[in-house]
Amino acid sequence: MSQPLIEVTNLKKYFPIKKGIFSRTVGHVKAVDGLDFTIFKGETLGLVGESGCGKSTTGRAILQLIDPTEGEVKYEGRNLVGMKTTELHKLRKDMQMVFQDPYASLDPRLTVGDIIAEPLEIHKIAQGSEKNRRIDELLNVVGLSSAHAKRYGHEFSGGQRQRIGIARALALNPKLIVADEPVSALDVSIQSQVINLLQDLQEQFDLTYLFIAHDLSVVKHISNRIGVMYLGRIVELADKTELFDTPMHPYTKALLSAVPNPNPLMKKERIVLRGDVPSPANPPAGCTFHPRCTDCMEICRTVKPIFKKVNGRYIACHLYE
Ligand code: SF4
Protein backbone atom coordinates (compact mmCIF):
# COMPACT_ATOMS: atom_id res chain seq x y z
CA MET A 1 0.00 0.00 0.00
CA SER A 2 1.33 3.48 -0.84
CA GLN A 3 1.52 6.55 1.39
CA PRO A 4 -1.62 8.01 2.99
CA LEU A 5 -2.92 11.11 1.22
CA ILE A 6 -5.95 11.73 3.45
CA GLU A 7 -6.30 10.54 7.06
CA VAL A 8 -9.71 11.00 8.62
CA THR A 9 -10.05 10.64 12.39
CA ASN A 10 -13.32 10.75 14.35
CA LEU A 11 -14.90 13.03 11.74
CA LYS A 12 -18.33 14.33 12.72
CA LYS A 13 -20.74 16.73 11.11
CA TYR A 14 -23.91 17.62 13.01
CA PHE A 15 -26.43 20.06 11.54
CA PRO A 16 -28.48 21.98 14.13
CA ILE A 17 -32.28 21.71 14.08
CA LYS A 18 -33.71 25.17 14.83
CA LYS A 19 -37.24 25.91 15.99
CA GLY A 20 -39.35 28.79 17.26
CA ILE A 21 -39.17 32.53 16.68
CA PHE A 22 -35.78 32.72 18.43
CA SER A 23 -34.41 29.89 16.28
CA ARG A 24 -33.43 27.84 19.29
CA THR A 25 -31.39 24.71 18.61
CA VAL A 26 -33.59 21.81 19.65
CA GLY A 27 -31.47 18.97 18.35
CA HIS A 28 -28.97 17.89 15.73
CA VAL A 29 -29.02 15.87 12.53
CA LYS A 30 -26.00 13.61 12.90
CA ALA A 31 -25.13 13.40 9.20
CA VAL A 32 -21.61 12.11 9.85
CA ASP A 33 -21.01 10.56 13.23
CA GLY A 34 -17.42 9.50 13.82
CA LEU A 35 -15.52 8.33 10.74
CA ASP A 36 -12.03 6.87 10.74
CA PHE A 37 -10.36 5.94 7.47
CA THR A 38 -7.40 6.62 5.22
CA ILE A 39 -7.21 7.30 1.49
CA PHE A 40 -3.90 6.16 0.05
CA LYS A 41 -2.09 7.92 -2.79
CA GLY A 42 -3.17 6.68 -6.22
CA GLU A 43 -6.10 4.58 -5.03
CA THR A 44 -9.83 4.91 -5.54
CA LEU A 45 -11.78 4.57 -2.34
CA GLY A 46 -15.47 3.98 -3.00
CA LEU A 47 -18.09 5.09 -0.49
CA VAL A 48 -21.51 3.46 -0.76
CA GLY A 49 -24.75 3.47 1.18
CA GLU A 50 -28.40 4.40 0.93
CA SER A 51 -29.50 8.02 0.30
CA GLY A 52 -29.09 10.15 3.41
CA CYS A 53 -26.38 7.98 5.00
CA GLY A 54 -23.88 10.86 4.99
CA LYS A 55 -21.73 10.02 1.95
CA SER A 56 -21.91 13.46 0.32
CA THR A 57 -21.51 15.26 3.66
CA THR A 58 -18.35 13.21 4.21
CA GLY A 59 -16.93 14.32 0.85
CA ARG A 60 -17.71 17.96 1.55
CA ALA A 61 -16.34 17.80 5.10
CA ILE A 62 -13.06 16.31 3.83
CA LEU A 63 -12.66 19.17 1.36
CA GLN A 64 -13.68 21.67 4.09
CA LEU A 65 -16.56 22.93 1.94
CA ILE A 66 -18.51 22.58 5.20
CA ASP A 67 -16.93 22.89 8.63
CA PRO A 68 -16.72 19.56 10.48
CA THR A 69 -18.22 19.57 14.00
CA GLU A 70 -15.39 17.47 15.37
CA GLY A 71 -12.43 15.38 14.25
CA GLU A 72 -9.40 15.66 12.01
CA VAL A 73 -8.84 15.53 8.26
CA LYS A 74 -5.13 15.32 7.52
CA TYR A 75 -3.92 16.01 4.00
CA GLU A 76 -0.31 14.80 3.58
CA GLY A 77 0.01 14.99 7.36
CA ARG A 78 -1.48 18.50 7.79
CA ASN A 79 -4.79 18.88 9.59
CA LEU A 80 -7.23 20.84 7.42
CA VAL A 81 -9.81 21.29 10.20
CA GLY A 82 -9.45 24.76 11.69
CA MET A 83 -6.66 25.69 9.25
CA LYS A 84 -6.30 29.41 8.42
CA THR A 85 -8.23 30.43 5.29
CA THR A 86 -5.08 31.61 3.47
CA GLU A 87 -3.32 28.29 4.09
CA LEU A 88 -6.40 26.31 3.11
CA HIS A 89 -6.74 28.37 -0.08
CA LYS A 90 -3.24 27.27 -1.13
CA LEU A 91 -4.08 23.60 -0.56
CA ARG A 92 -7.47 23.81 -2.26
CA LYS A 93 -5.94 23.46 -5.70
CA ASP A 94 -4.73 19.98 -4.72
CA MET A 95 -8.27 18.84 -3.84
CA GLN A 96 -11.14 19.23 -6.25
CA MET A 97 -14.69 17.98 -6.55
CA VAL A 98 -16.82 16.61 -9.37
CA PHE A 99 -20.48 17.15 -8.57
CA GLN A 100 -23.47 14.90 -9.04
CA ASP A 101 -25.69 17.07 -11.16
CA PRO A 102 -23.99 18.10 -14.42
CA TYR A 103 -26.98 20.35 -15.17
CA ALA A 104 -26.86 22.41 -11.98
CA SER A 105 -23.09 22.46 -11.44
CA LEU A 106 -22.29 24.65 -14.48
CA ASP A 107 -23.06 28.38 -14.31
CA PRO A 108 -25.53 29.02 -17.20
CA ARG A 109 -24.22 32.59 -17.69
CA LEU A 110 -20.67 31.50 -18.44
CA THR A 111 -19.18 29.90 -21.53
CA VAL A 112 -17.41 26.58 -21.10
CA GLY A 113 -14.10 28.40 -21.51
CA ASP A 114 -15.00 30.81 -18.70
CA ILE A 115 -16.07 27.94 -16.44
CA ILE A 116 -12.74 26.14 -16.87
CA ALA A 117 -10.82 29.42 -16.61
CA GLU A 118 -12.37 30.30 -13.23
CA PRO A 119 -10.08 28.17 -11.03
CA LEU A 120 -7.05 29.23 -13.12
CA GLU A 121 -7.87 32.89 -12.44
CA ILE A 122 -8.75 32.45 -8.75
CA HIS A 123 -5.44 30.71 -8.09
CA LYS A 124 -3.52 33.00 -10.50
CA ILE A 125 -2.18 29.99 -12.42
CA ALA A 126 -2.46 31.25 -15.99
CA GLN A 127 -3.48 34.36 -17.92
CA GLY A 128 -3.99 35.46 -21.55
CA SER A 129 -2.80 33.06 -24.23
CA GLU A 130 -1.39 30.64 -21.64
CA LYS A 131 -4.86 30.41 -20.06
CA ASN A 132 -6.48 29.75 -23.45
CA ARG A 133 -3.89 27.08 -24.24
CA ARG A 134 -4.65 25.38 -20.91
CA ILE A 135 -8.44 25.49 -21.59
CA ASP A 136 -7.91 23.85 -25.00
CA GLU A 137 -5.66 21.23 -23.46
CA LEU A 138 -8.19 20.39 -20.73
CA LEU A 139 -11.07 20.14 -23.19
CA ASN A 140 -9.03 17.74 -25.33
CA VAL A 141 -8.06 15.65 -22.29
CA VAL A 142 -11.74 15.03 -21.45
CA GLY A 143 -12.68 14.21 -25.04
CA LEU A 144 -14.11 17.59 -26.11
CA SER A 145 -12.68 20.03 -28.63
CA SER A 146 -11.31 23.56 -28.43
CA ALA A 147 -14.36 24.80 -30.36
CA HIS A 148 -16.55 23.90 -27.38
CA ALA A 149 -14.93 26.63 -25.25
CA LYS A 150 -17.15 29.34 -26.76
CA ARG A 151 -20.41 27.50 -26.13
CA TYR A 152 -22.67 27.49 -23.06
CA GLY A 153 -23.44 24.59 -20.70
CA HIS A 154 -27.05 24.19 -21.83
CA GLU A 155 -25.89 23.37 -25.37
CA PHE A 156 -24.38 20.08 -24.17
CA SER A 157 -25.73 16.66 -23.24
CA GLY A 158 -25.48 15.35 -19.66
CA GLY A 159 -22.37 13.29 -20.40
CA GLN A 160 -20.64 16.23 -22.10
CA ARG A 161 -21.50 18.51 -19.19
CA GLN A 162 -19.96 16.05 -16.78
CA ARG A 163 -16.83 16.05 -18.96
CA ILE A 164 -16.76 19.85 -18.61
CA GLY A 165 -17.09 19.46 -14.82
CA ILE A 166 -14.16 17.03 -14.87
CA ALA A 167 -12.08 19.43 -17.01
CA ARG A 168 -12.76 22.19 -14.45
CA ALA A 169 -11.73 19.87 -11.61
CA LEU A 170 -8.49 19.00 -13.45
CA ALA A 171 -7.56 22.61 -14.24
CA LEU A 172 -5.32 23.02 -11.19
CA ASN A 173 -3.56 19.64 -11.44
CA PRO A 174 -5.16 18.28 -8.27
CA LYS A 175 -3.93 15.23 -6.37
CA LEU A 176 -7.32 14.29 -4.90
CA ILE A 177 -10.71 14.36 -6.60
CA VAL A 178 -13.87 13.78 -4.63
CA ALA A 179 -16.41 12.51 -7.17
CA ASP A 180 -19.86 12.80 -5.62
CA GLU A 181 -22.25 10.52 -7.53
CA PRO A 182 -20.63 11.68 -10.80
CA VAL A 183 -22.60 9.34 -13.05
CA SER A 184 -25.92 8.80 -11.26
CA ALA A 185 -27.69 11.56 -13.23
CA LEU A 186 -26.50 10.14 -16.57
CA ASP A 187 -27.99 7.55 -18.93
CA VAL A 188 -26.55 4.07 -18.42
CA SER A 189 -24.87 4.14 -21.85
CA ILE A 190 -23.06 7.36 -20.95
CA GLN A 191 -22.14 6.25 -17.43
CA SER A 192 -19.50 3.79 -18.63
CA GLN A 193 -17.90 6.44 -20.88
CA VAL A 194 -17.49 8.83 -17.96
CA ILE A 195 -16.24 6.04 -15.65
CA ASN A 196 -13.67 4.98 -18.27
CA LEU A 197 -12.61 8.60 -18.68
CA LEU A 198 -12.09 8.93 -14.91
CA GLN A 199 -9.98 5.75 -14.91
CA ASP A 200 -7.86 6.95 -17.85
CA LEU A 201 -7.30 10.33 -16.18
CA GLN A 202 -6.31 8.65 -12.93
CA GLU A 203 -3.55 6.79 -14.72
CA GLN A 204 -2.48 9.77 -16.79
CA PHE A 205 -2.33 12.28 -13.92
CA ASP A 206 -1.66 10.01 -10.94
CA LEU A 207 -4.92 11.01 -9.27
CA THR A 208 -6.45 9.74 -6.05
CA TYR A 209 -10.25 9.43 -5.93
CA LEU A 210 -12.87 9.36 -3.26
CA PHE A 211 -15.74 7.98 -5.33
CA ILE A 212 -19.17 8.39 -3.76
CA ALA A 213 -22.12 6.47 -5.21
CA HIS A 214 -25.13 4.41 -4.30
CA ASP A 215 -24.78 2.06 -7.29
CA LEU A 216 -22.69 -0.89 -6.09
CA SER A 217 -21.84 -2.15 -9.58
CA VAL A 218 -20.37 1.24 -10.53
CA VAL A 219 -18.38 1.44 -7.28
CA LYS A 220 -17.10 -2.11 -7.73
CA HIS A 221 -15.89 -1.30 -11.23
CA ILE A 222 -13.83 1.75 -10.32
CA SER A 223 -12.72 1.26 -6.69
CA ASN A 224 -9.74 -0.46 -5.08
CA ARG A 225 -11.31 -0.46 -1.63
CA ILE A 226 -14.91 0.20 -0.59
CA GLY A 227 -16.39 1.67 2.56
CA VAL A 228 -20.05 0.90 3.33
CA MET A 229 -21.86 3.68 5.19
CA TYR A 230 -24.96 3.45 7.33
CA LEU A 231 -26.46 6.37 9.22
CA GLY A 232 -23.33 8.51 9.37
CA ARG A 233 -20.81 5.76 10.11
CA ILE A 234 -18.71 3.36 8.04
CA VAL A 235 -19.77 -0.15 9.06
CA GLU A 236 -17.36 -2.08 6.84
CA LEU A 237 -14.27 -1.10 4.83
CA ALA A 238 -12.43 -3.65 2.74
CA ASP A 239 -10.68 -4.45 -0.50
CA LYS A 240 -13.41 -4.54 -3.17
CA THR A 241 -12.93 -8.21 -4.09
CA GLU A 242 -13.02 -9.30 -0.46
CA LEU A 243 -16.06 -7.16 0.20
CA PHE A 244 -18.01 -8.54 -2.75
CA ASP A 245 -16.88 -12.17 -2.32
CA THR A 246 -17.18 -12.43 1.45
CA PRO A 247 -19.16 -9.55 2.98
CA MET A 248 -19.09 -9.73 6.78
CA HIS A 249 -21.32 -6.96 8.16
CA PRO A 250 -25.06 -7.81 8.07
CA TYR A 251 -25.80 -4.48 6.34
CA THR A 252 -23.17 -5.11 3.65
CA LYS A 253 -24.62 -8.59 3.09
CA ALA A 254 -28.10 -7.11 2.63
CA LEU A 255 -26.87 -4.41 0.23
CA LEU A 256 -24.91 -6.88 -1.89
CA SER A 257 -27.78 -9.35 -2.00
CA ALA A 258 -29.75 -6.71 -3.91
CA VAL A 259 -27.14 -6.39 -6.71
CA PRO A 260 -28.45 -8.17 -9.83
CA ASN A 261 -26.37 -11.18 -10.86
CA PRO A 262 -25.43 -11.23 -14.58
CA ASN A 263 -25.48 -15.05 -14.52
CA PRO A 264 -29.16 -16.17 -14.39
CA LEU A 265 -28.09 -19.73 -13.45
CA MET A 266 -26.48 -18.53 -10.22
CA LYS A 267 -29.27 -18.08 -7.70
CA LYS A 268 -28.63 -15.87 -4.73
CA GLU A 269 -30.76 -15.24 -1.70
CA ARG A 270 -32.09 -11.72 -1.41
CA ILE A 271 -31.96 -10.28 2.11
CA VAL A 272 -34.85 -7.88 2.56
CA LEU A 273 -34.24 -5.30 5.27
CA ARG A 274 -37.06 -4.55 7.70
CA GLY A 275 -38.36 -0.98 7.97
CA ASP A 276 -36.80 2.27 6.84
CA VAL A 277 -33.49 3.92 7.63
CA PRO A 278 -34.01 5.65 11.02
CA SER A 279 -33.75 9.44 11.22
CA PRO A 280 -30.19 10.74 11.72
CA ALA A 281 -31.77 13.33 14.06
CA ASN A 282 -32.71 10.53 16.43
CA PRO A 283 -30.55 7.48 15.68
CA PRO A 284 -31.18 4.23 17.61
CA ALA A 285 -29.02 3.52 20.66
CA GLY A 286 -26.23 0.95 20.46
CA CYS A 287 -25.66 -0.26 16.92
CA THR A 288 -27.75 2.08 14.76
CA PHE A 289 -28.50 -0.83 12.43
CA HIS A 290 -30.01 -3.01 15.19
CA PRO A 291 -33.74 -2.35 14.48
CA ARG A 292 -33.23 -3.79 10.97
CA CYS A 293 -30.62 -6.45 11.66
CA THR A 294 -31.58 -10.12 11.52
CA ASP A 295 -28.54 -11.01 13.69
CA CYS A 296 -29.32 -8.49 16.42
CA MET A 297 -28.21 -9.52 19.92
CA GLU A 298 -28.98 -7.99 23.33
CA ILE A 299 -25.70 -6.06 23.43
CA CYS A 300 -26.48 -4.45 20.04
CA ARG A 301 -29.40 -2.49 21.52
CA THR A 302 -27.24 -0.61 24.03
CA VAL A 303 -23.54 -0.73 23.11
CA LYS A 304 -22.16 0.98 20.02
CA PRO A 305 -19.82 -1.44 18.20
CA ILE A 306 -16.25 -0.20 17.73
CA PHE A 307 -14.92 0.17 14.18
CA LYS A 308 -11.83 -2.01 14.19
CA LYS A 309 -9.62 -4.27 12.10
CA VAL A 310 -10.81 -7.88 11.73
CA ASN A 311 -9.17 -10.30 9.25
CA GLY A 312 -7.56 -7.52 7.22
CA ARG A 313 -10.66 -5.35 6.93
CA TYR A 314 -12.38 -2.81 9.15
CA ILE A 315 -15.79 -3.55 10.59
CA ALA A 316 -18.16 -2.24 13.28
CA CYS A 317 -20.27 -5.17 14.50
CA HIS A 318 -20.58 -7.10 17.78
CA LEU A 319 -20.64 -10.39 15.84
CA TYR A 320 -16.89 -10.03 15.35
CA GLU A 321 -15.81 -9.04 18.84
FE1 SF4 B 1 -26.41 -6.53 13.72
FE2 SF4 B 1 -25.50 -6.33 16.19
FE3 SF4 B 1 -23.80 -6.36 14.17
FE4 SF4 B 1 -25.34 -4.25 14.58
S1 SF4 B 1 -23.74 -4.98 15.92
S2 SF4 B 1 -24.94 -5.22 12.65
S3 SF4 B 1 -27.21 -5.20 15.29
S4 SF4 B 1 -25.16 -8.01 14.80
Side-chain angles (χ1 to χ4, degrees):
M1 193 64 84
S2 60
Q3 296 287 313
L5 185 69
I6 294 283
E7 292 163 278
V8 174
T9 311
N10 193 32
L11 184 67
K12 294 184 182 175
K13 179 63 192 176
Y14 295 174
F15 294 101
I17 304 168
K18 308 246 181 206
K19 267 201 181 147
I21 47 170
F22 297 113
S23 274
R24 266 191 327 118
T25 302
V26 293
H28 287 92
V29 173
K30 296 177 177 175
V32 172
D33 197 17
L35 298 184
D36 296 280
F37 63 91
T38 302
I39 308 174
F40 294 96
K41 283 182 184 166
E43 79 163 338
T44 298
L45 177 69
L47 216 47
V48 289
E50 292 163 283
S51 297
C53 70
K55 307 182 294 288
S56 297
T57 306
T58 303
R60 285 171 164 76
I62 286 174
L63 296 185
Q64 306 301 300
L65 298 177
I66 50 174
D67 292 330
T69 307
E70 207 180 308
E72 280 187 350
V73 178
K74 283 189 182 164
Y75 170 75
E76 294 190 322
R78 297 174 68 191
N79 188 11
L80 303 177
V81 180
M83 189 178 260
K84 279 188 193 154
T85 316
T86 44
E87 270 182 81
L88 194 58
H89 179 76
K90 283 184 211 153
L91 290 180
R92 276 212 189 284
K93 61 182 190 336
D94 286 358
M95 296 171 278
Q96 295 293 310
M97 188 148 188
V98 173
F99 295 93
Q100 174 179 4
D101 188 347
Y103 294 90
S105 64
L106 303 181
D107 189 331
R109 295 163 303 177
L110 299 181
T111 64
V112 168
D114 291 338
I115 288 168
I116 298 173
E118 231 176 7
L120 297 171
E121 286 162 3
I122 290 170
H123 287 270
K124 301 185 173 59
I125 301 286
Q127 286 177 340
S129 59
E130 170 59 17
K131 185 175 75 182
N132 294 335
R133 190 197 58 75
R134 181 80 179 125
I135 293 167
D136 290 352
E137 184 182 72
L138 287 161
L139 284 170
N140 291 324
V141 157
V142 298
L144 297 171
S145 80
S146 314
H148 289 130
K150 293 194 169 50
R151 289 163 58 180
Y152 289 85
H154 69 265
E155 298 176 54
F156 294 88
S157 67
Q160 286 174 319
R161 286 182 199 209
Q162 201 53 296
R163 285 173 189 269
I164 297 165
I166 293 168
R168 177 178 55 189
L170 287 175
L172 300 171
N173 288 324
K175 292 182 184 169
L176 172 75
I177 289 188
V178 174
D180 184 8
E181 303 263 12
V183 296
S184 54
L186 305 177
D187 292 341
V188 177
S189 57
I190 307 298
Q191 284 187 1
S192 55
Q193 291 177 14
V194 174
I195 293 286
N196 290 342
L197 172 67
L198 286 170
Q199 285 183 312
D200 290 347
L201 295 173
Q202 182 169 40
E203 226 179 278
Q204 209 176 332
F205 299 109
D206 203 14
L207 295 166
T208 302
Y209 290 142
L210 175 63
F211 191 92
I212 297 166
H214 63 270
D215 185 330
L216 281 154
S217 316
V218 170
V219 173
K220 185 185 181 187
H221 182 75
I222 195 167
S223 306
N224 301 103
R225 293 185 305 141
I226 298 174
V228 179
M229 276 190 86
Y230 185 78
L231 222 55
R233 295 188 80 200
I234 295 182
V235 294
E236 187 166 2
L237 175 65
D239 170 84
K240 75 162 170 199
T241 313
E242 284 177 20
L243 191 95
F244 272 78
D245 289 354
T246 54
M248 284 170 68
H249 194 282
Y251 179 61
T252 314
K253 287 180 187 172
L255 269 191
L256 295 186
S257 78
V259 178
N261 195 328
N263 182 353
L265 298 175
M266 272 183 67
K267 287 219 168 73
K268 93 176 160 180
E269 193 195 342
R270 172 90 195 261
I271 302 168
V272 181
L273 290 174
R274 294 174 289 180
D276 292 325
V277 183
S279 164
N282 187 21
C287 169
T288 51
F289 185 58
H290 86 254
R292 306 174 79 193
C293 182
T294 46
D295 297 306
C296 180
M297 303 170 288
E298 203 44 49
I299 187 176
C300 307
R301 300 179 204 279
T302 50
V303 181
K304 198 182 247 192
I306 297 164
F307 186 62
K308 62 178 185 187
K309 205 168 188 178
V310 178
N311 296 341
R313 71 180 76 187
Y314 288 87
I315 190 160
C317 177
H318 290 304
L319 287 174
Y320 304 99
E321 283 173 1

